[in-house]
Amino acid sequence: MLPTDIFKALANDYRYQILLWLKDPVQHFGEGLLRCEETGFTGGICVGLITEKSGLAQSVVSGYLTVLKNADLVESKRIGKWTYYRYHAAGVAAFLAKLQQELG
């Protein structure tokens, strides 16, 4: 993915805020909401909790999360009827390394 595509993903204030929340889920959602034992997806937050925190419609949040996932900034796992998302540090690091290589 081109850096400009990732910039477009981050250009929306809500998508950027969601990414920041997922970067530190304990601070933004509380440790009790991280059901890592149940999901096996450490740091994963369900779409419902992100929707509740953002105050946006679930369909909007799902669309925003899809954009972030396509930019490789978050990763997801579907467990039953729930989808969990978490910050993808390796994807963010690859984006930053590409910027450094091209602009540094």
Side-chain angles (χ1 to χ4, degrees):
M1 178 166 279
L2 295 172
T4 53
D5 294 328
I6 297 173
F7 286 134
K8 289 175 189 175
L10 295 174
N12 177 285
D13 289 337
Y14 285 107
R15 285 193 296 257
Y16 185 70
Q17 186 62 61
I18 290 169
L19 183 64
L20 293 177
W21 291 341
L22 293 176
K23 185 175 184 246
D24 191 355
V26 172
Q27 176 186 346
H28 297 286
F29 296 95
E31 192 153 353
L33 297 177
L34 298 178
R35 297 180 180 92
C36 303
E37 309 80 37
E38 296 173 22
T39 66
F41 194 61
T42 303
I45 299 293
C46 75
V47 174
L49 291 174
I50 298 168
T51 298
E52 185 179 308
K53 186 168 180 73
S54 70
L56 300 170
Q58 186 271 332
S59 59
V60 173
V61 170
S62 291
Y64 286 169
L65 288 164
T66 297
V67 170
L68 291 171
K69 183 177 179 184
N70 290 342
D72 203 28
L73 301 174
V74 300
E75 52 191 356
S76 68
K77 183 174 185 179
R78 182 138 178 107
I79 301 167
K81 63 180 185 173
W82 305 103
T83 302
Y84 293 81
Y85 285 85
R86 69 181 175 194
Y87 183 79
H88 187 217
V92 172
F95 165 62
L96 295 174
K98 180 125 176 116
L99 278 182
Q100 180 62 37
Q101 176 190 13
E102 291 181 2
L103 300 176

